[in-house]
Amino acid sequence: MLFRSNGKVDVLLSKNPGLKKAGGVVEFQDGNGRALALIRTGASSKAFKAIDLSCTHQGVTVIKGGADWVCPAHNSQFALDGKVKVGPARTALRSVPVKISATKITVG
């Protein structure tokens, strides 16, 4: 990953082989210290989504648990793409803008 002074992060596809297949995930912190995840959502070269890993219930950082994200504080569960599966959280994990090119994904 390459960090920019503006808080954005360039995720190089060649350095992150886990993103070659749908369902691949890379977790990292941006330049502002936020815990984020970049997810390959499909086979298309444009099928990527970034999410903020702060639980929308009380802000605790969620962790990967199988195919889901789980809040260790209150057990809210989210699908890989951030949608709520089990509360007490009521809203999806926040999306973070991405810019996609052939060699990298810029997050933030």
Side-chain angles (χ1 to χ4, degrees), residues 46-87:
K46 301 292 183 185
F48 290 93
K49 179 177 184 174
I51 55 174
D52 184 324
L53 296 178
S54 297
C55 181
T56 54
H57 175 236
Q58 290 190 338
V60 175
T61 300
V62 298
I63 56 175
K64 191 100 166 39
D68 295 330
W69 301 103
V70 180
C71 178
H74 298 103
N75 207 35
S76 290
Q77 295 177 19
F78 302 87
L80 191 61
D81 66 0
K83 293 178 184 169
V84 177
K85 292 176 79 174
V86 176

